[in-house]
Amino acid sequence: MLDFVIKRFLQVIVVVFLALTVVFFLIRLAGDPTTLFLPPDAPREQIEEYRELLGYNRPLYVQYGDFMYNAIQGDFGESLRSQEDALGIVLDRLPATFQLAITSLILALFIAIPLGVLSAYKRNTVFDRIGVGLTVVGQAVPSFWLGLILIFLFAAQLQLLPSGGGGTPVHMILPTLTLAAYSVARFTRFTRSAMLDVLQKDYIRTAKASGVPTMRLIMRYALRNSLIPIITLVALDLGVLLGGAVITEAVFSWPGVGRLLWQSLMNRDFPIVLAGVFIIALIYAIINFVADILYAYVNPQIRVK
Amino acid sequence: MSDAILKIKNLKIEFKSGKETVQPIRGVNFELKKGETLGVVGESGSGKSVTSLAIMGLLPERTSKIVDGEINFKGNDITNLKEKQYRKIRGNEISMIFQEPMTSLNPVFTIGQQLSEPLRQHRNMSKKEIEKAVINVLNQVGIPRAEQIINEYPHQLSGGMRQRVMISLALLCEPDLMIADEPTTALDVTIQAQILELMKNIKQENDMSLLLITHDLGVVAEMCDRVVVMYAGEIVEVAEINELFNEPLHPYTRGLIDSMPTQNTRKERLYSIRGQVPRPNEITKGCVFANRCPLAFSKCFEETPPVFARDDHLSKCWLQNTKEGEVV
Ligand SMILES: Nc1ncnc2c1ncn2[C@@H]1O[C@H](COP(=O)(O)OP(=O)(O)OP(=O)(O)O)[C@@H](O)[C@H]1O
Ligand SMILES: [Mg+2]
């Protein structure tokens, strides 16, 4: 088990390293940011001076080496706009993103798992068919569209909820619903198919043959087996929720990392973009790391060799 | 003569797949006497597993149906028992060992957790008592280190060990009837012999009746008192074990016996019955075996034979056509 943990941990480091490398070169393709910070008619010498100051005139591989060397020490440079520590700015926004993602995830799980189990148990009934239909719709609806619809309904028309901003629990309701909708649909479908798969297994027949009542059969024997794939999916989706909250955060002006990343990208504030990518990649990798360990925990075939 | 513990009368089972309906069990009759080991033999697809699942009340709910006939257990008709009542019988009065020991145990629960279940459902026992009973029964089926095994998971055990666990699962509530559906097919030969020996002993010690399903006549010869020969969803012959081997009446049974490999003589080529078991949707009029039968004559293709009886020896073949023996 320890071997397994160490190996997976090394993978976390590799993933983060690769993510930073890819993003570093990708944003350089978009050009360097100096022109954005100077007036359009700035003289050549001034641009050159500014580039030299920021180090953008050096060869790309030198810049990359320099960046990595500093990044390893947790130094992503200063924001080009506010001259504050880039990593610090990102970390300040992190709690808001976590708050939104975790709340959505919990909400989604509480709705999706019982719904998926019930749907599998009542497979091919009217209930199941309606459920499956809704999940298909739920997965197909883009989150920005759902977000706008919700704003239109609850903020503009009914004037029940604020359309954006952060701080109070009331502000969370719409973005949480928006972010959770997709996950509810996805987890419900997945739980249903995982349960259906497990319910026709030989060992379920064995349990039935031992006289186990239906409820116990489903809630204890079948659900435990289904949790193995569900945990993996949820873990993957938590990463998506965290990173992919970008659009939802933008729609609802939710002050999280997603919105910050989006704004910084627009401004070519590279240090913040890289610090943001670093944090999201790190979280994504750590979540998968934890998921694998959880997975090993519920699946003794991995845990006990 | 002891009483019958299980009587199957004219059992017919239908399966629905899509729009099509097939009847893989078409009028099956047999009795299992108290304390007896009854073998059910027949090629793959003849309906052995479906019959045994029907006895357990474990046929797939939505796709299958008992359309006619009766399953009578200890004098009660259990054919249309409510799920709640059937549950009280399963694992308690009737238990079953399945064909596939590798997949029949739940991979995420320990052996101990899974073995506790029948006692939990059917007996009023404390956790301590259950654990003791489980260790006891594991010892009975010859599993070493039972105290440790109960904390292990199925994948840590070999196939033979898993089948022993399955047997102990079936034994826990000391059932009156045990159904073993090809309990040794998935195991290698030396383990097969051990498991069969074990089942024989256990049956004697526990005073059970055993319904042993197999396609291996060698296993039948070793274990059974009487044999039911099944073919394509019908019973074609029923006989006491020695009688079956000495004087098989149905050409299908003869074919099965002739295709047995024997240890003493080295035949050039093993005999095999030509053709294949018809699928349930391929069955037409006449005898089900007619198209593969070396002795078939015109009547066999036209009319379904009734059951002819010679004392206790039943067979469903026109060659046995003597008016006085017909029981239909
Ligand atoms: N769930 C099902 N749906 C439809 N048809 C089925 C189902 N289960 C079994 N059958 C059909 O019933 C017939 C008998 O199958 P069964 O499994 O009882 O055979 P068997 O004698 O146990 O064979 P084997 O020796 O391979 O175990 C087969 O033709 C099979 O196709
Ligand atoms: Mg079978």
Side-chain angles (χ1 to χ4, degrees), chain B residues 49 99 181-182:
Chain B
S49 296
Q99 208 162 347
D181 187 357
E182 315 214 13

Side-chain angles (χ1 to χ4, degrees), chain A residues 53-71:
Chain A
L53 183 73
L54 294 173
Y56 288 121
N57 59 343
R58 297 170 300 166
L60 201 54
Y61 66 88
V62 177
Q63 290 184 43
Y64 173 71
D66 195 39
F67 162 73
M68 275 299 171
Y69 179 75
N70 289 325

Side-chain angles (χ1 to χ4, degrees), chain B residues 5-104:
Chain B
I5 185 168
L6 179 75
K7 287 185 199 163
I8 310 262
K9 294 179 200 156
N10 193 30
L11 187 69
K12 290 185 181 155
I13 298 171
E14 245 175 41
F15 273 92
K16 255 198 318 234
S17 52
K19 287 214 166 62
E20 203 184 359
T21 320
V22 292
Q23 227 184 66
I25 304 295
R26 284 167 288 104
V28 160
N29 286 285
F30 67 86
E31 278 186 16
L32 175 57
K33 302 194 182 92
K34 205 160 183 296
E36 175 183 54
T37 300
L38 178 68
V40 178
V41 287
E43 284 166 283
S44 197
S46 50
K48 307 182 297 289
S49 296
V50 171
T51 306
S52 53
L53 286 176
I55 299 168
M56 286 296 279
L58 287 178
L59 286 172
E61 274 166 56
R62 275 160 243 265
T63 52
S64 66
K65 204 167 121 197
I66 297 179
V67 285
D68 196 11
E70 183 183 327
I71 300 169
N72 189 299
F73 177 64
K74 295 205 286 193
N76 304 312
D77 181 2
I78 58 171
T79 321
N80 291 310
L81 219 51
K82 289 251 158 35
E83 173 64 20
K84 229 181 170 152
Q85 287 158 313
Y86 228 129
R87 204 159 66 222
K88 293 195 186 125
I89 299 179
R90 280 188 212 128
N92 187 18
E93 291 173 74
I94 310 178
S95 61
M96 182 158 174
I97 304 167
F98 294 97
Q99 208 162 347
E100 309 85 4
M102 302 314 275
T103 53
S104 290

Side-chain angles (χ1 to χ4, degrees), chain A residues 11-243:
Chain A
Q11 280 174 16
V12 169
I13 294 172
V14 172
V15 165
V16 173
F17 174 79
L18 286 178
L20 279 180
T21 304
V22 169
V23 174
F24 179 89
F25 288 107
L26 271 182
I27 52 177
R28 283 304 191 278
L29 287 178
D32 83 53
T34 40
T35 46
L36 271 177
F37 291 94
L38 296 170
D41 53 353
R44 256 203 98 72
E45 304 85 70
Q46 198 186 349
I47 296 179
E48 282 309 316
E49 196 181 326
Y50 198 69
R51 290 187 69 197
E52 189 165 336
L53 183 73
L54 294 173
Y56 288 121
N57 59 343
R58 297 170 300 166
L60 201 54
Y61 66 88
V62 177
Q63 290 184 43
Y64 173 71
D66 195 39
F67 162 73
M68 275 299 171
Y69 179 75
N70 289 325
I72 287 165
Q73 300 164 49
D75 178 10
F76 286 82
E78 291 174 348
S79 162
L80 299 181
R81 303 217 123 198
S82 64
Q83 269 75 49
E84 284 172 50
D85 177 43
L87 192 62
I89 295 176
V90 173
L91 289 177
D92 276 350
R93 298 291 197 95
L94 203 53
T97 295
F98 262 120
Q99 196 185 7
L100 190 61
I102 303 276
T103 319
S104 303
L105 181 76
I106 291 171
L107 180 72
L109 286 177
F110 267 96
I111 299 172
I113 291 185
L115 223 56
V117 169
L118 202 63
S119 208
Y121 175 56
K122 293 187 170 291
R123 68 186 167 285
N124 297 335
T125 60
V126 179
F127 171 85
D128 179 36
R129 275 162 213 256
I130 293 177
V132 170
L134 283 178
T135 57
V136 172
V137 174
Q139 270 189 285
V141 170
S143 59
F144 73 88
W145 188 80
L146 181 64
L148 292 176
I149 294 284
L150 288 177
I151 289 175
F152 175 75
L153 268 179
F154 291 98
Q157 292 297 112
L158 300 172
Q159 308 217 328
L160 284 174
L161 297 164
S163 68
T168 71
V170 184
H171 285 99
M172 281 190 68
I173 295 176
L174 290 184
T176 304
L177 284 178
T178 306
L179 203 54
Y182 176 80
S183 301
V184 168
R186 208 165 126 85
F187 295 166
T188 305
R189 278 184 83 165
F190 197 78
T191 305
R192 178 183 181 273
S193 66
M195 282 296 282
L196 282 181
D197 184 49
V198 169
L199 281 173
Q200 45 94 21
K201 287 280 199 300
D202 288 342
Y203 51 76
I204 294 297
R205 190 181 61 189
T206 306
K208 269 192 208 157
S210 302
V212 178
T214 312
M215 252 307 136
R216 186 171 163 81
L217 194 73
I218 289 177
M219 298 316 287
R220 181 174 164 85
Y221 286 98
L223 190 55
R224 174 86 75 96
N225 287 282
S226 310
L227 281 181
I228 296 173
I230 292 174
I231 285 177
T232 317
L233 181 84
V234 166
L236 282 172
D237 271 25
L238 183 57
V240 174
L241 275 173
L242 279 168

